C-alpha cells in the first residue's frame, strides 16, 4: 500500500557520495558531499583507489628497472618521474650529465609540459561540456606524441632517460619538427582562445568560481601552476635550477585575476595557456643551443653500481614541485625511493575549495585543479 | 475541422476501407502514419546529418562504416538499441508516468502542422497544445526524478522543471506576437498570412517580429532542454539526471522523445515565423488547376521539412561550439533576458499592428 505512505520533502542537508567512478570526477576518488540545496556545505575526499604499491616495487627491482617504474608514477607525464629519479641517482653517484643529454632531457620535459597542459584543457572542456575543443586539442596533442615516438620509440612510458644521460641521441630533423609543431600549436591556440578561453559561456562557468587564496596555497603546500595562478611566484626551474634551466630565458606567469578573482578557475586555466607559450620559448632557445657531444656519460655502463648514500631532488613537473628521495645502500636494488607528488597538496585543498560552490560547478573545479591521481595514490 | 488529413482519407479510400470506419480509427491511423512515415525517417535523417556535421566541425570522420558514407548508421543504432534489454523492472508509478508522458508527447501529433493538406486538428487552440504537453512532460519528469530516490534524479527532475517554467513564459509571449499579426492561432491562418518569399514571412514583417523569432527559438531550447541549454538533463555532475536510470530500449525511446520535442519546436517556429509551407503562389494555383493535390501536399511537406532541418542544424551548429551553461544561468537568461525582450516584442508588435489598422 505504498500510496498511503506519507511523502516527505526534506530541505535540510543532504549527503551524496560520488565515486570512485563518476563522470564528474577527473580520476578515481570518492567524495562525500554534504549539500545544502545545490550548494556544497562540506566535503571529504577519499583517495587510494589507484594505489599500485609503486614505491615498494622500486625496492624489489634493479636500479636499471627503476627508471621504467618511475614512468608509471604519473603515466600522463612520464618524463618527470624519470627525471626526478635520475637526478637523485646522479647526485648520489656524482655522475656528470653531458650538456647535450641535459638539453635533450629539457626538450622532452617541456614537450611533456605542453602535452600535459593540452590534456588539462581537454579535461576542462569536458567538464563544461564543450566537445568540439576537446577534439581540436587532442588532435594537436597527437603531434607531440608523434614527436615522443620519434625520439624515444614510445608515445607514453618512455623508459628513455638513463643515469648520466639519455638512451639515444636525437635524429636529424627532430629539432626542426619540434619547432614546426610548436608553431602550429601557437597559431591554432589563437583560434582556440576565441572559441573557448574567452567564450562568454565558458567565462560564466569559470570566472570567480572557487578561488584559491595565497594563504591556502601555503597552508596545503600547493605548488605549480595552481599556486602561481593564486599569485604565488614559485617555480623550481627558477628557484632551484636543474638541467641548465638557469641558462634559458623564460618568464613565470602569475595569475592576475583578469576575468574574475585572482586564483579562480579561469586563472588556473589561463596560467597554463601562458606556461604553454613559455615552454615553446624554451624549446625555441634549445633548438639553437643544442651542443654537440655525448648523449650519455661513458662511465655508466650496464655493470654500474650506485654507491650508498641518499639524495633529495626536486623538479618542476607539469603539476608542480615533484620531489624524489632516493636512498641507496650500495646494493643491486634501491633501498628506498619516495616521491613527493604535487597532486597531494591539491587534493588536500579540495574540501575548503569546494565549500560554498554549486554542485554543478564541482566537475569544473575538480578539473581545474589538474589532479594526477596516479602520482598521489602511487 | 477534419479528424484526419486529406491525404490519409484519400489513401484509405484507395484501399477501399474508409467506408464505415469510425472516426477514432481513421484518426489513429493518421497519427500512426505521421509517426512512421514522417517522424521516424526525419529522426534518422537528422541524426545522421547531425553526426556528420558535428564530425566535420570537430575534425573527425563521423559514421562511415554502415552503408555508403555511413548512411545506415541511424538504422543500425536503432536496431541495436531496440534489442538491448532493460535491467530494472519499473514500479507501477513509473509505468503510469511513462504512459502519461507518451500520451502528452505524442498527442501533439494531432496538431503538427506539416502542410495545408496534412493538418488534422486546426483550431484556435492548436498552437497552445505543445505548451501544455511540455509542461506535463516537465512535471512528470520532475516527479519521476524525485521518485528515483537518487541525487541525480532529484537534481535532474527539479532542474528540468525549473527550466521548463522559465522557458515557457517568453515562448508564450513570442507566440502571442505571431498571433497578433495574423489575428488567429489557427495553423492554416498563420501560414496563409505569409508567403513563399522571405519578405513575406512573419519574422521580417517588422523588427519586433524578428525579436520574437529570436526569443521563440531560444526559449524553446530552454523549455525543451535542447543542447546547448540542456543543463537539466546533461550537466556532468548528474550525468543524465533522470535519464541516468534508463538503458536500452527505454533510453532510445527517451531520446526519441527529446528529438521529437526539438523537431516539433522547429516545425512550429517555421510555421509561426519563417513562411510555413508556402510555395510560390503561381505554382500552387497551377497545381490546383491540374488537380495535383497529392503532389502539392508532398511539395509543401518537403519545403517545411527542409526549413525545419535548417533551423535544427543551425541550433546544432551553435550547440557544438558552445560550452554548456549551468541551469541557474539558463533560468536567469530566460527570466532576465528572454522575458523582457519578449515583452518588448509584444508591445512593439501590438503598436505596429494597431498603427497598421489605423492606416
Amino acid at each position: 500500500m505504498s500510496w498511503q505512505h506519507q511523502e516527505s520533502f526534506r530541505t535540510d542537508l543532504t549527503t551524496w557520495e560520488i565515486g570512485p567512478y563518476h563522470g564528474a570526477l577527473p580520476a578515481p576518488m570518492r567524495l562525500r558531499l554534504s549539500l545544502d540545496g545545490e550548494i556544497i556545505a562540506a566535503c571529504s575526499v577519499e583517495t587510494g583507489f589507484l594505489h599500485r604499491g609503486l614505491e615498494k616495487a622500486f625496492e624489489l627491482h634493479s636500479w636499471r628497472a627503476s627508471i621504467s617504474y618511475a614512468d608509471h608514477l604519473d603515466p600522463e607525464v612520464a618524463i618527470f618521474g624519470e627525471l626526478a629519479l635520475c637526478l637523485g641517482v646522479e647526485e648520489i653517484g656524482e655522475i656528470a650529465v653531458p650538456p647535450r643529454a641535459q638539453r635533450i632531457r629539457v626538450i622532452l620535459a617541456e614537450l611533456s609540459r605542453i602535452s600535459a597542459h593540452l590534456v588539462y584543457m581537454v579535461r576542462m572542456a569536458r567538464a563544461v561540456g564543450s566537445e568540439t575543443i576537446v577534439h581540436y586539442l587532442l588532435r594537436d596533442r597527437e603531434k607531440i606524441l608523434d614527436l615522443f615516438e620519434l625520439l624515444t620509440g614510445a608515445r607514453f612510458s618512455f623508459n628513455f632517460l638513463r643515469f648520466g644521460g639519455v638512451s639515444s641521441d636525437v635524429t636529424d630533423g627532430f629539432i626542426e619538427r619540434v619547432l614546426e609543431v610548436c608553431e602550429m600549436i601557437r597559431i591554432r591556440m589563437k583560434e582556440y582562445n576565441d572559441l573557448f578561453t574567452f567564450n562568454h559561456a565558458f567565462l560564466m562557468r569559470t570566472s570567480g568560481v572557487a578561488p584559491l587564496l595565497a594563504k591556502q596555497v601555503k597552508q596545503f603546500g600547493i605548488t605549480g601552476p595552481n599556486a602561481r595562478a593564486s599569485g604565488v611566484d614559485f617555480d623550481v626551474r627558477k628557484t632551484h635550477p636543474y638541467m641548465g634551466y638557469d641558462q634559458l630565458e623564460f618568464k613565470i606567469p602569475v595569475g592576475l585575476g583578469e576575468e574574475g578573482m585572482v586564483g579562480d578557475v579561469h586563472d588556473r586555466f589561463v596560467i597554463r595557456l601562458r606556461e604553454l607559450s613559455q615552454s615553446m620559448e624554451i624549446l625555441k632557445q634549445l633548438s639553437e643551443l643544442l651542443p654537440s657531444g655525448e648523449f650519455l656519460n661513458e662511465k655508466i655502463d650496464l655493470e654500474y653500481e650506485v654507491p650508498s648514500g641518499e639524495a633529495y631532488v626536486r623538479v618542476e613537473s607539469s603539476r608542480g614541485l615533484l620531489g624524489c628521495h632516493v636512498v641507496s645502500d650500495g646494493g643491486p636494488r634501491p633501498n628506498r625511493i619516495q616521491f613527493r607528488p604535487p597532486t597531494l597538496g591539491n587534493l588536500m585543498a579540495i574540501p575548503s575549495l569546494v565549500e560554498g560552490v554549486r554542485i554543478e560547478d564541482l566537475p569544473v573545479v575538480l578539473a581545474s585543479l589538474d589532479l594526477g591521481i596516479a602520482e598521489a595514490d602511487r | 475541422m477534419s479528424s484526419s488529413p486529406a491525404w490519409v482519407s484519400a489513401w484509405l479510400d484507395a484501399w477501399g476501407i474508409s467506408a464505415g470506419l469510425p472516426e477514432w480509427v481513421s484518426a489513429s491511423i493518421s497519427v500512426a502514419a505521421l509517426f512512421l512515415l514522417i517522424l521516424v525517417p526525419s529522426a534518422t535523417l537528422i541524426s545522421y546529418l547531425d553526426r556528420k556535421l558535428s564530425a566535420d566541425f570537430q575534425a573527425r570522420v563521423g559514421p562511415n562504416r554502415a552503408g555508403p558514407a555511413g548512411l545506415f548508421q541511424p538504422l543500425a543504432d536503432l536496431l541495436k538499441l531496440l534489442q538491448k534489454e532493460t535491467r530494472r523492472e519499473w514500479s507501477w508509478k513509473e509505468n503510469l508516468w511513462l504512459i502519461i508522458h507518451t500520451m502528452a508527447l505524442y498527442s501533439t501529433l494531432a496538431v503538427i502542422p506539416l502542410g495545408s493538406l496534412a493538418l488534422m486538428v486546426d483550431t484556435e487552440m492548436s498552437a497552445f497544445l505543445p505548451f501544455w504537453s511540455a509542461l506535463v512532460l516537465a512535471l512528470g519528469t520532475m516527479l519521476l526524478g524525485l521518485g528515483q530516490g537518487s541525487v541525480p534524479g532529484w537534481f535532474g527532475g527539479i532542474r528540468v522543471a525549473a527550466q521548463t517554467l522559465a522557458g515557457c513564459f517568453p515562448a508564450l509571449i513570442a507566440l502571442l506576437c505571431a498571433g497578433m499579426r495574423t489575428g488567429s492561432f489557427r495553423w492554416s491562418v498563420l501560414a496563409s498570412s505569409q508567403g513563399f518569399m522571405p519578405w513575406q514571412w512573419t519574422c521580417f514583417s517588422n523588427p519586433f517580429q524578428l525579436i520574437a523569432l529570436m526569443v521563440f527559438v531560444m526559449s524553446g531550447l530552454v523549455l525543451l532542454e535542447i543542447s546547448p541549454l540542456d543543463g537539466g538533463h546533461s550537466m556532468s555532475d548528474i550525468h543524465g539526471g533522470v535519464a541516468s536510470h534508463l538503458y536500452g530500449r527505454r533510453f532510445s525511446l527517451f531520446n526519441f522523445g527529446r528529438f521529437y520535442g526539438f523537431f516539433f519546436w522547429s516545425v512550429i517556429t517555421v510555421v509561426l515565423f519563417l513562411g510555413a509551407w508556402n510555395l510560390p503562389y503561381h505554382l500552387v494555383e497551377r497545381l490546383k488547376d491540374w488537380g495535383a493535390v497529392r503532389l502539392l501536399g508532398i511539395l509543401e511537406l518537403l519545403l517545411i521539412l527542409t526549413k525545419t532541418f535548417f533551423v535544427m542544424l543551425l541550433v546544432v551548429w551553435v550547440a557544438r561550439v558552445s560550452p554548456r551553461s549551468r541551469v541557474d544561468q539558463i533560468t536567469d537568461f530566460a527570466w532576465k533576458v528572454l522575458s523582457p525582450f519578449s515583452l518588448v516584442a509584444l508591445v512593439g508588435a501590438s503598436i505596429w499592428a494597431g498603427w497598421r489598422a489605423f492606416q
Side-chain angles (χ1 to χ4, degrees):
Chain A
M1 292 289 156
S2 57
W3 61 86
Q4 288 181 338
H5 283 304
Q6 281 264 310
E7 294 210 355
S8 64
F9 188 72
R10 303 186 332 172
T11 54
D12 53 350
L13 293 185
T14 326
T15 53
W16 187 21
E17 272 192 23
I18 26 181
Y21 300 103
H22 187 283
L25 302 173
M29 57 202 270
R30 183 181 283 150
L31 296 185
R32 290 192 176 80
L33 300 169
S34 174
L35 301 174
D36 181 6
E38 286 203 297
I39 311 287
I40 298 171
C43 165
S44 72
V45 183
E46 186 187 334
T47 57
F49 297 96
L50 210 59
H51 177 62
R52 293 148 292 161
L54 194 69
E55 288 180 349
K56 189 69 192 166
F58 279 110
E59 296 166 24
L60 303 176
H61 297 84
S62 69
W63 278 105
R64 275 186 68 83
S66 64
I67 296 172
S68 61
Y69 279 95
D71 267 336
H72 297 288
L73 175 68
D74 188 352
E76 232 171 60
V77 278
I79 193 70
F80 295 111
E82 282 187 37
L83 186 58
L85 176 72
C86 288
L87 286 179
V89 172
E90 282 152 13
E91 195 176 314
I92 296 174
E94 292 173 350
I95 306 166
V97 183
R100 188 172 176 83
Q102 292 195 9
R103 297 301 192 206
I104 296 173
R105 284 178 177 188
V106 174
I107 290 176
L108 254 182
E110 293 307 317
L111 278 177
S112 295
R113 198 182 309 279
I114 296 175
S115 148
H117 285 349
L118 289 177
V119 176
Y120 169 85
M121 289 163 72
V122 165
R123 275 198 297 257
M124 280 295 284
R126 285 237 167 89
V128 299
S130 188
E131 200 60 32
T132 301
I133 195 77
V134 169
H135 290 283
Y136 288 170
L137 292 167
L138 286 179
R139 175 184 61 179
D140 292 349
R141 181 184 174 239
E142 280 300 301
K143 302 284 179 215
I144 296 180
L145 296 186
D146 286 346
L147 290 176
F148 287 156
E149 195 176 359
L150 191 63
L151 182 60
T152 70
R155 297 165 84 80
F156 299 98
S157 295
F158 310 124
N159 194 9
F160 181 67
L161 267 48
R162 295 288 178 268
F163 305 138
V166 292
S167 73
S168 62
D169 203 355
V170 292
T171 43
D172 282 345
F174 177 75
I175 300 293
E176 286 73 23
R177 283 191 61 176
V178 169
L179 291 183
E180 265 171 39
V181 170
C182 285
E183 185 61 14
M184 182 202 73
I185 293 178
R186 195 182 61 78
I187 292 168
R188 284 188 179 166
M189 215 38 94
K190 283 180 191 159
E191 197 181 320
Y192 301 162
N193 283 346
D194 292 341
L195 179 65
F196 190 61
T197 315
F198 298 105
N199 178 317
H200 180 69
F202 182 64
L203 285 177
M204 296 266 287
R205 293 297 305 276
T206 54
S207 64
V209 174
L212 184 67
L213 308 175
K215 194 181 71 183
Q216 288 171 311
V217 168
K218 294 246 166 68
Q219 187 184 350
F220 298 114
I222 294 172
T223 51
N226 290 347
R228 293 193 284 275
S230 303
V232 178
D233 188 2
F234 175 78
D235 190 314
V236 182
R237 291 174 295 174
K238 284 281 186 199
T239 56
H240 306 85
Y242 54 94
M243 288 290 112
Y245 269 114
D246 45 350
Q247 295 152 27
L248 299 165
E249 273 178 35
F250 60 100
K251 286 189 220 106
I252 302 299
V254 176
L256 302 168
E258 291 130 287
E259 302 289 345
M261 304 167 176
V262 175
D264 63 1
V265 171
H266 198 262
D267 253 9
R268 288 200 279 277
F269 185 84
V270 167
I271 213 80
R272 283 175 171 87
L273 274 180
R274 307 233 157 100
E275 287 201 356
L276 218 113
S277 58
Q278 289 304 316
S279 292
M280 289 178 194
E281 282 300 312
I282 294 175
L283 286 171
K284 212 170 279 175
Q285 293 172 34
L286 285 173
S287 69
E288 291 153 12
L289 288 175
L290 194 67
S292 52
E294 293 298 313
F295 59 86
L296 185 62
N297 191 327
E298 279 174 350
K299 286 184 286 182
I300 310 301
D301 51 11
L302 283 174
E303 276 73 49
Y304 177 73
E305 280 173 7
V306 180
S308 68
E310 71 179 304
Y312 180 78
V313 291
R314 48 194 132 187
V315 297
E316 180 75 20
S317 88
S318 63
R319 306 183 207 276
L321 186 155
L322 175 68
C324 182
H325 182 205
V326 187
V327 183
S328 167
D329 55 4
R333 290 185 288 271
N335 187 264
R336 179 84 169 99
I337 290 180
Q338 196 177 8
F339 284 100
R340 182 263 177 221
T343 299
L344 279 180
N346 298 338
L347 280 172
M348 282 191 286
I350 291 176
S352 53
L353 203 57
V354 300
E355 204 181 303
V357 162
R358 297 185 76 89
I359 180 78
E360 289 154 282
D361 281 334
L362 180 71
V364 181
V365 175
L366 291 181
S368 80
L369 284 174
D370 197 14
L371 301 170
I373 212 77
E375 60 174 18
D377 286 349
R378 303 202 282 293
Chain B
M1 189 184 97
S2 66
S3 64
S4 63
W7 58 273
V8 175
S9 28
W11 197 34
L12 292 176
D13 280 338
W15 285 76
I17 48 173
S18 66
L21 216 54
E23 202 173 315
W24 66 268
V25 176
S26 63
S28 310
I29 292 174
S30 309
V31 168
L34 268 176
F35 187 82
L36 292 174
L37 296 180
I38 295 172
L39 273 183
V40 175
S42 297
T44 49
L45 186 60
I46 206 86
S47 79
Y48 174 75
L49 288 176
D50 175 11
R51 291 177 66 172
K52 269 297 193 196
L53 275 177
S54 308
D56 277 354
F57 294 153
Q58 299 177 341
R60 295 184 285 123
V61 180
N64 65 343
R65 296 293 177 92
L71 206 56
F72 299 149
Q73 189 63 46
L75 189 70
D77 286 348
L78 185 74
L79 290 178
K80 189 199 80 176
L81 282 169
L82 288 182
Q83 286 174 42
K84 282 175 83 171
E85 275 182 273
T86 41
R87 267 195 290 167
R88 195 171 62 94
E89 278 306 306
W90 278 20
S91 69
W92 65 271
K93 269 188 209 167
E94 285 168 315
N95 277 322
L96 184 67
W97 272 111
L98 188 70
I99 294 167
I100 294 172
H101 267 179
T102 315
M103 285 169 67
L105 193 60
Y106 295 110
S107 66
T108 53
L109 269 172
V111 297
I112 192 166
L114 286 173
S116 58
L117 305 171
L119 285 173
M120 287 176 70
V121 180
D122 188 27
T123 66
E124 288 290 344
M125 292 307 289
S126 299
F128 294 95
L129 187 65
F131 289 87
W132 168 80
S133 75
L135 287 173
V136 170
L137 277 177
L139 178 70
T141 311
M142 185 182 79
L143 292 178
L144 260 184
L146 293 178
Q148 277 176 355
S150 68
V151 177
W154 298 337
F155 282 140
I158 289 174
R159 285 175 192 174
V160 167
Q163 259 196 250
T164 306
L165 284 179
C168 216
F169 177 73
L172 269 172
I173 302 288
L175 173 70
L176 293 186
C177 294
M180 188 164 288
R181 176 169 175 267
T182 51
S184 169
F185 291 106
R186 275 176 198 276
W187 295 131
S188 52
V189 182
L190 281 164
S192 58
S193 71
Q194 307 179 62
F196 174 71
M197 301 309 284
W199 57 83
Q200 297 165 323
W201 296 356
T202 297
C203 66
F204 297 122
S205 65
N206 67 58
F208 300 105
Q209 297 291 358
L210 196 59
I211 299 177
L213 167 70
M214 299 290 191
V215 170
F216 192 76
V217 172
M218 286 192 259
S219 54
L221 304 186
V222 178
L223 178 72
L224 297 165
E225 312 249 332
I226 298 160
S227 181
L229 303 179
D230 57 350
H233 276 303
S234 312
M235 291 303 289
S236 47
D237 59 333
I238 52 169
H239 56 129
V242 177
S244 61
H245 284 229
L246 297 175
Y247 316 83
R249 271 171 235 165
R250 285 190 185 119
F251 188 63
S252 52
L253 285 176
F254 175 80
N255 270 346
F256 188 83
R258 288 188 70 189
F259 163 80
Y260 174 67
F262 186 18
F263 176 78
F264 197 101
W265 196 260
S266 311
V267 168
I268 58 179
T269 304
V270 171
V271 174
L272 291 176
F273 293 101
L274 297 171
W277 51 74
N278 287 305
L279 292 163
Y281 180 71
H282 299 292
L283 180 65
V284 177
E285 288 300 301
R286 190 69 57 81
L287 285 172
K288 278 185 179 159
D289 286 347
W290 289 345
V293 181
R294 209 170 295 174
L295 181 62
L296 178 64
I298 291 171
L299 287 179
E300 283 180 347
L301 180 68
L302 285 180
L303 180 65
I304 195 165
L305 284 183
T306 311
K307 286 181 183 174
T308 306
F309 284 4
F310 183 72
V311 171
M312 292 174 86
L313 291 177
L314 208 63
V315 172
V316 166
W317 183 13
V318 175
R320 286 290 164 262
V321 294
S322 314
R324 187 174 284 130
S325 295
R326 240 163 43 195
V327 176
D328 62 317
Q329 290 169 347
I330 296 172
T331 48
D332 264 13
F333 175 66
W335 287 119
K336 294 180 186 167
V337 180
L338 290 179
S339 300
F341 269 102
S342 70
L343 290 172
V344 167
L346 182 68
V347 171
S350 45
I351 291 173
W352 196 284
W355 178 65
R356 293 296 289 266
F358 267 111
Q359 283 196 325

